[in-house]
Amino acid sequence: MMMTSPSVDANFVPLSPLSFLRFAARTYPERIAWVYGGRRTTYRAFAERCSRLATVLEGLGVKAGDTVSIIAPNVPAMLEAHFAVPMLGAVLNAINTRQDASHLEFIFCAARPAVVIADVEYADMAHAALLAAGHHCPMIHAADKAAGVTTGATGLDYEEALASAVPASHPARPLAETDPLVLNYTSGTSGAPKGVLHSHRAAYLNSLGIALLWNIPTWPVFLWVVPLFHCNGWCMSWAITARAGTHILQRKVDAARILDTIETEGVTHLACAPTVLGMLLADPASSGRNLTRIVEVATGGAPPSRPWITRMGQLGFNITQLYGMTETLSNSIYSAPTEDFETQGVDARVAHLSRQGVPQLAVEEVCLQDQKTGAILPHDGASIGEVCIRSNTVMSGYFNDPVATDAAFRDGWLHTGDLGVLHPDGYLEILDRAKDIIISGGENISSVEVERVLAHHDMIEEAAVVPMPDDKWGEVPCAFVRLKAACGALDAATLDDWCRERLPGFKRPKRYEFVESFPYSGTGKVQKTALRDMARLAANNHNQKGD
């Protein structure tokens, strides 16, 4: 007979990323926790500063269940809020700094924060957004004297408040591990932003899963390039702390500075969007430069091209491709290396990295479902279905939006809205967002597939493909292309001839638009909604001219 007993304090502690800071500060108190400009702080001091911030927030009336909003770049205040706010059982709302005042107003109206922490660069916008939202709450201003940025705004100064606060023994864990930890808003590129709630348990498990998938050793040196507001820095805020790593914080992203910092600080890991890696390759500072150590780089987005992989390898970057979304608290799937990956040729490595990969350890199950019937599709590399995820790391739900939550949670799965195929080896390959699939004459065309082909052209820096209305076929592919700097001229006819050799006729773009830049969302993704509008306008002009 199986013997069971109720959970008691001795055998059950609610899971929370707060444990990671306690571990690092207890085990490695003198290790450097974060570096910002000329400042270096040990884990002992880091933990104390977080406790002081919790005391400040508590003095301003913050209690368990309240929301604390913060809008700041990758500076100490932003990292410290990831631990100080949950120390009170409150919910952290890290806001995208790239959004405008109307976005802030929307969040303040919805989240009703008890306190707002605003970096000096965004303090005026945050104050105006609070007024517009008709919401009144205390604000803490985080000046940045190290960067020469200060404010004359009235309010509590972050560093002065911490200096005068008494570090207290705040709760080291939530009352329940299913309590909300963070409230992250989507970028709202296809509608109003949605507030995504994640629990302490989800963050704890996802952070450890990421630490394992990336083979993060003890004492890594992590350069902060991915914004901390983006799914809490892809959970690196907690994963790096769990390994007693050093957080190299930087206010702005600059290619030359990134390369210099890698050398001077001994950076071992960084995470960023593909656009940042493209910026690094395009910067003159990278020309002819090879790093003195291998740097592990996590990225997610457009599949890498052959020249891109080759140059990144020459620089000294080892790439891990990731896939995730706000609803899964960042990275759920990764390009797990095969046993022979290191000995493969470039083409084989590119093919491998073009697939998003397999579920990381903390993710229980991923499947593809037929969008019409809901049937589970086979791993045949051909059957296209919606990516569905079942995991402890999936969101608790959308904040105050049961209709949207029910729509996302169906039949025991999170429905992502992404379409892909599963190959016989179990590796997932994302083909498109469901709304971005191009249906031309009844045939499905993956915009990602066409983009991948265009990315292999030596003169193309970036490409995006969207549907364009067509009287005969309903819609056809339209390609927007950004050329590499100083690479010469490329016209549509020449590019079309090149595509003709690599794509079947129905998949080949029927129009090529050469642009100097792309519209990006606040999280660095190409805004295909804007490109679709541009393609629609181009099609209308084409029809009016009758050419």
Side-chain angles (χ1 to χ4, degrees), residues 472-545:
K472 182 177 181 179
W473 302 110
E475 58 187 23
V476 293
C478 175
F480 289 84
V481 174
R482 180 168 67 89
L483 300 179
K484 294 179 180 177
C487 68
L490 179 66
D491 58 41
T494 303
L495 182 54
D496 191 58
D497 288 340
W498 187 86
C499 287
R500 192 184 305 274
E501 300 175 2
R502 294 162 175 82
L503 287 167
F506 76 96
K507 292 184 179 181
R508 200 170 70 248
K510 301 304 182 285
R511 188 178 186 89
Y512 300 89
E513 294 284 341
F514 295 89
V515 297
E516 293 185 358
S517 62
F518 281 96
Y520 294 107
S521 71
T523 53
K525 299 177 182 177
V526 173
Q527 289 185 311
K528 287 199 169 181
T529 301
L531 295 184
R532 283 194 290 269
D533 291 340
M534 293 167 64
R536 193 177 299 112
L537 179 61
N540 290 338
N541 291 339
H542 176 87
N543 292 334
Q544 290 171 7
K545 291 177 182 178

Coordinates of all heavy atoms in Angstrom, one line a residue, residues 472-545:
K472 N -6.2 37.6 -59.7 CA -6.3 36.2 -60.2 C -6.1 35.2 -59.1 O -6.9 34.3 -59.0 CB -5.2 36.0 -61.3 CG -5.2 34.6 -61.9 CD -4.2 34.5 -63.0 CE -4.3 33.1 -63.6 NZ -3.3 33.0 -64.7
W473 N -5.1 35.4 -58.2 CA -4.7 34.3 -57.3 C -5.2 34.6 -55.9 O -5.0 33.8 -55.0 CB -3.2 34.2 -57.2 CG -2.6 33.8 -58.6 CD1 -1.8 34.6 -59.4 CD2 -2.7 32.6 -59.3 NE1 -1.4 34.0 -60.5 CE2 -2.0 32.7 -60.5 CE3 -3.4 31.4 -59.0 CZ2 -1.9 31.7 -61.4 CZ3 -3.3 30.4 -59.9 CH2 -2.6 30.5 -61.1
G474 N -5.9 35.8 -55.7 CA -6.3 36.1 -54.3 C -5.3 36.9 -53.6 O -5.5 38.1 -53.2
E475 N -4.1 36.3 -53.4 CA -2.9 37.0 -52.9 C -1.7 36.3 -53.3 O -1.7 35.1 -53.7 CB -3.0 37.1 -51.4 CG -3.1 35.8 -50.6 CD -3.3 35.9 -49.1 OE1 -3.8 37.0 -48.7 OE2 -3.0 35.0 -48.4
V476 N -0.6 37.1 -53.4 CA 0.7 36.6 -53.9 C 1.8 37.1 -53.0 O 1.6 38.1 -52.2 CB 1.0 37.0 -55.3 CG1 0.0 36.3 -56.3 CG2 0.9 38.5 -55.5
P477 N 3.0 36.5 -52.9 CA 4.0 37.0 -52.1 C 4.6 38.4 -52.6 O 4.8 38.5 -53.8 CB 5.1 35.9 -52.2 CG 4.4 34.7 -52.7 CD 3.3 35.2 -53.6
C478 N 4.8 39.3 -51.6 CA 5.5 40.5 -51.9 C 6.7 40.6 -51.0 O 6.6 40.4 -49.7 CB 4.6 41.7 -51.7 SG 5.4 43.3 -51.8
A479 N 7.9 40.8 -51.5 CA 9.1 40.8 -50.7 C 9.6 42.2 -50.5 O 9.7 43.0 -51.4 CB 10.2 40.0 -51.4
F480 N 9.9 42.5 -49.2 CA 10.6 43.8 -48.9 C 12.0 43.4 -48.5 O 12.3 42.5 -47.7 CB 9.9 44.4 -47.7 CG 8.5 45.0 -48.0 CD1 7.4 44.2 -48.0 CD2 8.4 46.3 -48.3 CE1 6.2 44.7 -48.3 CE2 7.2 46.8 -48.6 CZ 6.0 46.0 -48.6
V481 N 13.0 44.1 -49.1 CA 14.4 43.8 -49.1 C 15.2 45.0 -48.7 O 15.0 46.1 -49.2 CB 14.9 43.2 -50.5 CG1 16.4 43.0 -50.5 CG2 14.1 42.0 -50.8
R482 N 16.1 44.7 -47.7 CA 17.1 45.7 -47.4 C 18.5 45.2 -47.7 O 18.9 44.1 -47.3 CB 17.0 46.0 -45.8 CG 18.1 47.1 -45.4 CD 17.8 47.6 -44.0 NE 17.9 46.5 -43.0 CZ 19.1 46.2 -42.4 NH1 20.2 46.9 -42.7 NH2 19.2 45.3 -41.5
L483 N 19.2 46.0 -48.6 CA 20.5 45.5 -49.0 C 21.6 45.8 -48.0 O 21.5 46.8 -47.2 CB 20.8 46.2 -50.4 CG 19.8 45.9 -51.5 CD1 20.3 46.7 -52.8 CD2 19.7 44.4 -51.8
K484 N 22.7 45.1 -48.1 CA 23.8 45.4 -47.3 C 24.5 46.7 -47.8 O 24.4 47.1 -48.9 CB 24.9 44.2 -47.5 CG 24.4 42.9 -46.9 CD 25.4 41.8 -47.1 CE 24.9 40.5 -46.5 NZ 25.9 39.4 -46.8
A485 N 25.1 47.4 -46.8 CA 25.7 48.6 -47.1 C 26.9 48.4 -48.1 O 27.6 47.5 -48.0 CB 26.2 49.3 -45.8
A486 N 27.0 49.4 -49.0 CA 28.1 49.4 -50.0 C 28.3 48.1 -50.7 O 29.4 47.6 -50.9 CB 29.4 49.8 -49.2
C487 N 27.2 47.5 -51.1 CA 27.3 46.2 -51.8 C 27.0 46.3 -53.3 O 26.9 45.3 -54.0 CB 26.4 45.2 -51.2 SG 24.6 45.5 -51.4
G488 N 26.7 47.6 -53.8 CA 26.4 47.7 -55.2 C 24.9 47.8 -55.4 O 24.1 47.8 -54.4
A489 N 24.4 47.7 -56.6 CA 23.0 47.8 -57.0 C 22.5 46.4 -57.3 O 23.1 45.5 -57.7 CB 22.9 48.7 -58.2
L490 N 21.2 46.3 -56.9 CA 20.4 45.0 -57.2 C 19.0 45.5 -57.6 O 18.3 46.2 -56.9 CB 20.4 44.1 -56.0 CG 19.6 42.8 -56.1 CD1 20.3 41.9 -57.2 CD2 19.5 42.1 -54.8
D491 N 18.6 45.0 -58.8 CA 17.2 45.4 -59.2 C 16.3 44.2 -59.1 O 16.7 43.1 -58.9 CB 17.2 46.0 -60.7 CG 17.8 45.0 -61.7 OD1 17.5 43.8 -61.6 OD2 18.6 45.5 -62.6
A492 N 15.0 44.5 -59.3 CA 14.0 43.5 -59.1 C 14.1 42.3 -60.1 O 13.9 41.2 -59.8 CB 12.6 44.1 -59.2
A493 N 14.4 42.7 -61.4 CA 14.5 41.7 -62.4 C 15.6 40.7 -62.1 O 15.5 39.5 -62.2 CB 14.7 42.3 -63.8
T494 N 16.8 41.2 -61.7 CA 17.9 40.4 -61.4 C 17.6 39.5 -60.2 O 17.9 38.3 -60.2 CB 19.2 41.2 -61.1 OG1 19.4 42.1 -62.2 CG2 20.4 40.3 -60.8
L495 N 17.0 40.0 -59.2 CA 16.7 39.3 -58.0 C 15.6 38.2 -58.3 O 15.7 37.1 -57.8 CB 16.1 40.2 -56.9 CG 15.8 39.5 -55.5 CD1 17.0 38.7 -55.0 CD2 15.4 40.6 -54.5
D496 N 14.7 38.5 -59.2 CA 13.6 37.6 -59.5 C 14.3 36.4 -60.3 O 13.9 35.2 -60.1 CB 12.6 38.2 -60.4 CG 11.4 37.3 -60.6 OD1 10.8 36.9 -59.6 OD2 11.0 37.0 -61.8
D497 N 15.2 36.7 -61.2 CA 15.9 35.6 -61.9 C 16.6 34.7 -60.9 O 16.7 33.4 -61.0 CB 17.0 36.2 -62.9 CG 16.3 36.8 -64.1 OD1 15.1 36.5 -64.3 OD2 17.0 37.6 -64.7
W498 N 17.2 35.3 -59.9 CA 17.9 34.5 -58.8 C 16.9 33.6 -58.1 O 17.2 32.4 -57.8 CB 18.6 35.5 -57.9 CG 19.5 34.8 -56.9 CD1 20.8 34.5 -57.0 CD2 19.2 34.5 -55.5 NE1 21.3 33.9 -55.9 CE2 20.3 33.9 -54.9 CE3 18.0 34.6 -54.8 CZ2 20.4 33.5 -53.6 CZ3 18.0 34.2 -53.4 CH2 19.2 33.6 -52.9
C499 N 15.8 34.2 -57.7 CA 14.7 33.4 -57.0 C 14.2 32.3 -57.9 O 13.8 31.2 -57.4 CB 13.6 34.3 -56.5 SG 14.1 35.4 -55.2
R500 N 14.1 32.5 -59.2 CA 13.5 31.6 -60.1 C 14.3 30.2 -60.0 O 13.7 29.2 -60.2 CB 13.6 32.1 -61.5 CG 12.7 31.3 -62.6 CD 13.0 31.9 -63.9 NE 12.6 33.3 -64.0 CZ 11.4 33.8 -64.2 NH1 10.4 33.0 -64.4 NH2 11.2 35.1 -64.2
E501 N 15.6 30.3 -59.7 CA 16.4 29.1 -59.6 C 16.2 28.3 -58.3 O 16.7 27.2 -58.2 CB 17.8 29.4 -59.8 CG 18.2 30.1 -61.2 CD 19.6 30.5 -61.3 OE1 20.3 30.3 -60.3 OE2 20.0 31.1 -62.3
R502 N 15.5 29.0 -57.3 CA 15.5 28.4 -56.0 C 14.1 28.2 -55.4 O 13.9 27.6 -54.4 CB 16.3 29.4 -55.0 CG 17.8 29.4 -55.4 CD 18.5 30.6 -54.7 NE 19.9 30.6 -55.0 CZ 20.5 31.0 -56.1 NH1 19.7 31.4 -57.1 NH2 21.8 30.9 -56.3
L503 N 13.1 28.8 -56.1 CA 11.7 28.6 -55.6 C 10.8 28.2 -56.8 O 11.0 28.7 -57.9 CB 11.2 30.0 -55.1 CG 11.8 30.4 -53.7 CD1 11.5 31.9 -53.5 CD2 11.3 29.6 -52.6
P504 N 9.8 27.4 -56.4 CA 8.8 27.1 -57.5 C 8.0 28.4 -57.8 O 7.9 29.4 -57.0 CB 7.9 26.1 -56.8 CG 8.1 26.2 -55.3 CD 9.5 26.7 -55.2
G505 N 7.4 28.5 -59.0 CA 6.8 29.7 -59.5 C 5.8 30.3 -58.5 O 5.7 31.5 -58.3
F506 N 4.9 29.5 -57.9 CA 3.8 30.0 -57.1 C 4.4 30.6 -55.8 O 3.7 31.5 -55.2 CB 2.7 29.0 -56.8 CG 3.1 28.0 -55.8 CD1 2.7 28.1 -54.5 CD2 3.8 26.8 -56.1 CE1 3.0 27.1 -53.5 CE2 4.1 25.9 -55.2 CZ 3.7 26.0 -53.9
K507 N 5.6 30.2 -55.4 CA 6.2 30.8 -54.1 C 7.0 32.0 -54.4 O 7.4 32.7 -53.5 CB 7.0 29.7 -53.4 CG 6.2 28.5 -52.9 CD 7.1 27.6 -52.1 CE 6.3 26.4 -51.5 NZ 7.1 25.5 -50.7
R508 N 7.4 32.2 -55.7 CA 8.3 33.3 -56.0 C 7.6 34.7 -55.8 O 6.5 34.8 -56.2 CB 8.8 33.2 -57.4 CG 10.1 34.0 -57.7 CD 10.7 33.6 -59.0 NE 9.8 34.1 -60.1 CZ 9.1 33.4 -61.0 NH1 9.1 32.1 -60.9 NH2 8.4 33.9 -61.9
P509 N 8.2 35.6 -55.1 CA 7.6 36.9 -55.0 C 7.2 37.5 -56.3 O 8.0 37.5 -57.3 CB 8.7 37.8 -54.3 CG 9.5 36.8 -53.6 CD 9.5 35.6 -54.4
K510 N 6.0 38.2 -56.3 CA 5.6 38.8 -57.5 C 5.9 40.3 -57.5 O 5.6 41.0 -58.5 CB 4.1 38.6 -57.7 CG 3.7 37.1 -57.7 CD 4.4 36.4 -58.9 CE 4.0 34.9 -59.0 NZ 4.6 34.1 -57.9
R511 N 6.4 40.8 -56.4 CA 6.8 42.2 -56.3 C 8.0 42.3 -55.3 O 8.0 41.6 -54.3 CB 5.7 43.1 -55.9 CG 6.0 44.6 -56.0 CD 4.8 45.4 -55.6 NE 5.1 46.8 -55.9 CZ 4.9 47.5 -57.0 NH1 4.4 46.8 -58.0 NH2 5.2 48.8 -57.1
Y512 N 9.0 43.1 -55.6 CA 10.1 43.3 -54.8 C 10.2 44.8 -54.4 O 10.2 45.7 -55.3 CB 11.4 42.9 -55.4 CG 11.5 41.4 -55.8 CD1 11.0 41.0 -57.1 CD2 12.0 40.5 -54.9 CE1 11.0 39.7 -57.4 CE2 12.0 39.1 -55.3 CZ 11.5 38.7 -56.5 OH 11.6 37.4 -56.9
E513 N 10.2 45.1 -53.2 CA 10.3 46.5 -52.7 C 11.6 46.6 -51.9 O 11.8 45.9 -51.0 CB 9.1 46.9 -51.8 CG 7.7 46.9 -52.4 CD 7.5 48.1 -53.3 OE1 8.2 49.1 -53.0 OE2 6.6 48.1 -54.1
F514 N 12.4 47.5 -52.4 CA 13.7 47.8 -51.8 C 13.6 48.9 -50.8 O 13.1 50.0 -51.1 CB 14.8 48.1 -52.8 CG 15.1 46.9 -53.7 CD1 14.4 46.7 -54.9 CD2 16.0 46.0 -53.4 CE1 14.6 45.7 -55.7 CE2 16.3 44.9 -54.2 CZ 15.6 44.7 -55.4
V515 N 13.9 48.7 -49.5 CA 13.7 49.6 -48.5 C 15.1 49.9 -47.7 O 15.9 49.0 -47.7 CB 12.7 49.2 -47.4 CG1 11.3 49.0 -48.1 CG2 13.1 47.9 -46.8
E516 N 15.2 51.1 -47.1 CA 16.4 51.4 -46.4 C 16.3 50.9 -44.9 O 17.3 50.7 -44.3 CB 16.6 52.9 -46.4 CG 17.0 53.5 -47.7 CD 17.3 54.9 -47.7 OE1 17.2 55.5 -46.6 OE2 17.6 55.5 -48.8
S517 N 15.0 50.7 -44.4 CA 14.9 50.2 -43.1 C 13.5 49.6 -43.0 O 12.6 49.8 -43.8 CB 15.0 51.3 -42.0 OG 14.0 52.3 -42.3
F518 N 13.3 48.7 -41.9 CA 12.1 48.1 -41.7 C 11.4 48.7 -40.4 O 12.0 49.2 -39.5 CB 12.3 46.6 -41.4 CG 12.5 45.8 -42.6 CD1 13.8 45.5 -43.1 CD2 11.5 45.3 -43.4 CE1 14.0 44.7 -44.2 CE2 11.6 44.5 -44.5 CZ 12.9 44.2 -44.9
P519 N 10.0 48.6 -40.4 CA 9.3 49.0 -39.2 C 9.4 47.9 -38.2 O 9.2 46.7 -38.5 CB 7.9 49.2 -39.7 CG 7.8 48.3 -40.9 CD 9.1 48.3 -41.5
Y520 N 9.9 48.2 -37.0 CA 10.1 47.2 -35.9 C 9.1 47.4 -34.8 O 8.7 48.6 -34.5 CB 11.5 47.2 -35.4 CG 12.5 46.8 -36.4 CD1 13.4 47.7 -36.9 CD2 12.7 45.5 -36.8 CE1 14.4 47.4 -37.9 CE2 13.6 45.1 -37.7 CZ 14.5 46.0 -38.2 OH 15.4 45.7 -39.2
S521 N 8.7 46.4 -34.1 CA 7.9 46.5 -32.9 C 8.8 46.8 -31.8 O 10.0 46.9 -31.9 CB 7.2 45.2 -32.6 OG 8.1 44.2 -32.2
G522 N 8.2 47.0 -30.6 CA 9.0 47.4 -29.4 C 9.9 46.3 -29.0 O 10.9 46.5 -28.2
T523 N 9.7 45.0 -29.4 CA 10.6 43.9 -29.1 C 11.5 43.5 -30.2 O 12.1 42.4 -30.2 CB 9.7 42.7 -28.7 OG1 8.8 42.4 -29.7 CG2 9.0 43.0 -27.4
G524 N 11.6 44.4 -31.2 CA 12.6 44.2 -32.3 C 12.1 43.3 -33.4 O 13.0 42.9 -34.2
K525 N 10.9 43.0 -33.4 CA 10.3 42.1 -34.5 C 9.8 43.0 -35.7 O 9.3 44.1 -35.4 CB 9.2 41.3 -34.0 CG 9.5 40.3 -32.9 CD 8.3 39.6 -32.4 CE 8.7 38.6 -31.3 NZ 7.5 37.9 -30.7
V526 N 10.0 42.6 -36.9 CA 9.5 43.3 -38.0 C 7.9 43.3 -37.9 O 7.3 42.3 -37.7 CB 9.9 42.6 -39.4 CG1 9.2 43.3 -40.6 CG2 11.4 42.7 -39.5
Q527 N 7.4 44.5 -38.1 CA 6.0 44.7 -38.0 C 5.3 44.4 -39.4 O 5.2 45.2 -40.3 CB 5.6 46.1 -37.6 CG 5.9 46.4 -36.1 CD 5.4 47.8 -35.7 OE1 5.7 48.8 -36.4 NE2 4.7 47.9 -34.6
K528 N 4.9 43.2 -39.5 CA 4.4 42.7 -40.8 C 3.0 43.4 -41.1 O 2.6 43.5 -42.3 CB 4.3 41.2 -40.9 CG 5.6 40.5 -41.0 CD 5.5 39.1 -41.5 CE 6.9 38.6 -41.9 NZ 6.8 37.2 -42.4
T529 N 2.3 43.8 -40.1 CA 1.1 44.6 -40.3 C 1.3 45.8 -41.2 O 0.6 46.1 -42.1 CB 0.4 45.0 -39.0 OG1 0.2 43.8 -38.2 CG2 -0.9 45.7 -39.2
A530 N 2.4 46.5 -40.8 CA 2.7 47.7 -41.6 C 3.2 47.4 -43.0 O 2.8 48.1 -44.0 CB 3.8 48.5 -40.9
L531 N 3.9 46.3 -43.1 CA 4.3 45.9 -44.5 C 3.2 45.4 -45.3 O 3.1 45.6 -46.5 CB 5.4 44.7 -44.4 CG 6.7 45.1 -43.7 CD1 7.7 43.9 -43.8 CD2 7.3 46.3 -44.4
R532 N 2.2 44.7 -44.7 CA 1.0 44.3 -45.4 C 0.3 45.5 -46.0 O -0.3 45.5 -47.1 CB 0.1 43.5 -44.6 CG 0.6 42.0 -44.4 CD -0.5 41.1 -43.8 NE -0.8 41.5 -42.4 CZ -0.2 40.9 -41.4 NH1 0.7 40.0 -41.6 NH2 -0.5 41.2 -40.2
D533 N 0.2 46.6 -45.2 CA -0.5 47.8 -45.6 C 0.3 48.4 -46.8 O -0.3 48.9 -47.8 CB -0.5 48.8 -44.5 CG -1.5 48.4 -43.4 OD1 -2.4 47.6 -43.7 OD2 -1.4 49.0 -42.3
M534 N 1.6 48.4 -46.7 CA 2.4 48.9 -47.8 C 2.3 48.1 -49.1 O 2.2 48.6 -50.2 CB 3.9 48.9 -47.4 CG 4.2 49.9 -46.3 SD 5.9 49.7 -45.6 CE 6.9 50.1 -47.0
A535 N 2.2 46.7 -48.9 CA 2.0 45.8 -50.1 C 0.6 46.1 -50.7 O 0.4 46.1 -51.9 CB 2.1 44.4 -49.7
R536 N -0.4 46.3 -49.9 CA -1.8 46.5 -50.3 C -1.8 47.8 -51.1 O -2.4 47.9 -52.2 CB -2.7 46.6 -49.2 CG -4.2 46.5 -49.5 CD -5.1 46.5 -48.3 NE -4.8 45.4 -47.5 CZ -4.3 45.4 -46.3 NH1 -3.9 46.6 -45.8 NH2 -4.1 44.3 -45.6
L537 N -1.1 48.8 -50.6 CA -1.1 50.1 -51.3 C -0.3 50.0 -52.7 O -0.8 50.6 -53.7 CB -0.4 51.2 -50.5 CG -0.2 52.6 -51.0 CD1 -1.6 53.2 -51.3 CD2 0.6 53.5 -50.1
A538 N 0.8 49.2 -52.7 CA 1.5 49.0 -53.9 C 0.6 48.3 -55.0 O 0.7 48.6 -56.2 CB 2.8 48.2 -53.7
A539 N -0.2 47.3 -54.5 CA -1.0 46.6 -55.4 C -2.1 47.5 -56.0 O -2.4 47.4 -57.2 CB -1.7 45.4 -54.7
N540 N -2.7 48.4 -55.1 CA -3.7 49.3 -55.6 C -3.1 50.3 -56.7 O -3.8 50.6 -57.7 CB -4.3 50.1 -54.4 CG -5.1 49.2 -53.5 OD1 -5.6 48.2 -53.9 ND2 -5.3 49.7 -52.3
N541 N -1.9 50.8 -56.4 CA -1.3 51.7 -57.3 C -1.0 51.0 -58.7 O -1.2 51.6 -59.7 CB 0.0 52.2 -56.7 CG -0.2 53.2 -55.6 OD1 -1.3 53.7 -55.4 ND2 0.8 53.4 -54.7
H542 N -0.6 49.7 -58.6 CA -0.3 48.9 -59.7 C -1.6 48.8 -60.6 O -1.6 48.9 -61.8 CB 0.2 47.6 -59.3 CG 0.4 46.6 -60.4 ND1 1.6 46.6 -61.1 CD2 -0.4 45.7 -61.0 CE1 1.6 45.6 -62.1 NE2 0.4 45.1 -62.0
N543 N -2.7 48.5 -59.9 CA -4.0 48.3 -60.6 C -4.5 49.5 -61.3 O -5.1 49.6 -62.4 CB -5.0 47.7 -59.7 CG -4.7 46.2 -59.3 OD1 -4.0 45.5 -60.0 ND2 -5.2 45.8 -58.1
Q544 N -4.3 50.7 -60.5 CA -4.8 51.9 -61.1 C -4.0 52.4 -62.3 O -4.6 53.0 -63.2 CB -4.7 53.0 -60.0 CG -5.7 52.8 -58.8 CD -5.4 53.8 -57.7 OE1 -4.6 54.7 -57.8 NE2 -6.2 53.6 -56.6
K545 N -2.7 52.1 -62.3 CA -1.9 52.4 -63.4 C -2.2 51.5 -64.6 O -1.9 51.8 -65.8 CB -0.4 52.4 -63.1 CG 0.0 53.4 -62.1 CD 1.5 53.3 -61.7 CE 1.9 54.3 -60.7 NZ 3.3 54.2 -60.3

